[in-house]
Amino acid sequence: MTAIPASAASRPDSGGASPSVPRHVAIIMDGNGRWAKKRGLPRAAGHKAGAESVRKVLKAAGEAGVQCLTLYAFSSENWRRPETEISDLMGLLRFYLKAELSALHKQGVRIKIIGDYKVFPEDIVKMLEDAMALTAGNDRLTLAVALNYGSRDEMARAARILAGQVAAGSMKADAITPEAVDNLLYTADLPPLDLLIRTSGECRLSNFLLWQAAYAEMLFVDTLWPDFGGEAFRGALDDFARRERRYGGL
C-alpha cells in the first residue's frame, strides 16, 4: 500500500480538528481491466467484478457512518475507449440500476449523479433521473456517481455561469470568491471532501474532483479495484483517523 497524505476538503470547516470518520469519501475505481487480464478474462468481466466491489464498499461506508461516497464511474475521457467496452459499461449500468435501486432505497441511500450524464442513451438518462427522484428524501448515506465527469469541465462550467452573471450586471467581478465557485459545482450540496482513494497503484487524480480535493487526505493503494472490498475500505478509514489535518495551520 502506498499512502500519500495531502492536505483535503474544498470547504474546510472542521476548525483543524480531524474527525475519526470522514464525512465524504471519493474513490477512483481503477484496475478493472488489469484484474481481468491477469485472469485471462475479457475486460467486461473486470467491470462486473468491480461492480461487486461497489456493493461491498457502499455497505462498509454506511456501517462506518460516512455521509457521502463519491465514485468515479465514467470520465469524460472514457469515450475514447473501444466502442465494445463502452457498450459493455452501459449495459452494466442498466443492469445494476435495475437490480440495486430498490435495495438502495430501502437502505436509505440517496443517489446523486455528478457530471453531464444527459449525453448518455435516453433510457439510461431516464433510469438515472428516476433513481434520483425516488431516493431524494433518503438521508442515511449519499451515493454520488460521477458519470461523463471531468473536473476541468466542471470548473469551466462554473466560470461561464459567473461570467454571465457579471456580464448581466447581477454580480460584481470582485464578488467571485472560492465560495461562489464552490456553490456552482456539481458537489455544492455534498459535505466537503475529506478522503480521496485511488486503487491499482496509480498516483494521479485523472481530472477527478480537482477543486474539491484542495484539502483532502489522499490514499493511493496498490490493490486493483475488484479486490478492494469492505475490509480494505475500513483500513482506509483507519488510516484517515490517524492523520492530523491542519488546513495550512500549525
Side-chain angles (χ1 to χ4, degrees), residues 142-194:
T142 294
L143 173 61
V145 184
L147 293 172
N148 193 34
Y149 174 87
S151 188
R152 291 196 286 189
D153 285 342
E154 177 185 34
M155 288 187 279
R157 171 179 169 270
R160 285 193 298 272
I161 294 171
L162 290 169
Q165 291 175 349
V166 171
S170 60
M171 172 182 252
K172 293 183 178 180
D174 59 9
I176 298 177
T177 61
E179 291 74 22
V181 175
D182 203 75
N183 288 334
L184 291 172
L185 300 180
Y186 292 121
T187 54
D189 65 336
L190 300 179
L193 181 60
D194 288 321

Side-chain angles (χ1 to χ4, degrees), residues 23 98 141 189 194 198 208 219:
R23 296 153 294 182
K98 291 177 182 176
L141 169 68
D189 65 336
D194 288 321
R198 181 168 186 154
F208 182 54
L219 182 66

Side-chain angles (χ1 to χ4, degrees), residues 17 59 77 89 162 195 226 248 250:
K59 182 175 184 291
E77 287 81 22
L89 287 168
L162 290 169
L195 174 63
L250 297 178

Side-chain angles (χ1 to χ4, degrees), residues 91-152:
L92 194 61
L93 180 56
R94 289 183 179 96
F95 175 81
Y96 277 96
L97 279 168
K98 291 177 182 176
E100 301 293 329
L101 179 58
S102 178
L104 291 173
H105 183 42
K106 289 177 181 177
Q107 293 163 19
V109 175
R110 177 176 76 109
I111 296 173
K112 177 180 176 66
I113 307 300
I114 65 173
D116 185 14
Y117 68 90
K118 292 192 177 182
V119 302
F120 282 9
E122 187 175 335
D123 67 311
I124 291 181
V125 172
K126 185 177 188 308
M127 292 172 74
L128 292 171
E129 293 183 341
D130 286 349
M132 287 189 284
L134 176 67
T135 63
N138 295 341
D139 58 7
R140 178 169 175 260
L141 169 68
T142 294
L143 173 61
V145 184
L147 293 172
N148 193 34
Y149 174 87
S151 188
R152 291 196 286 189

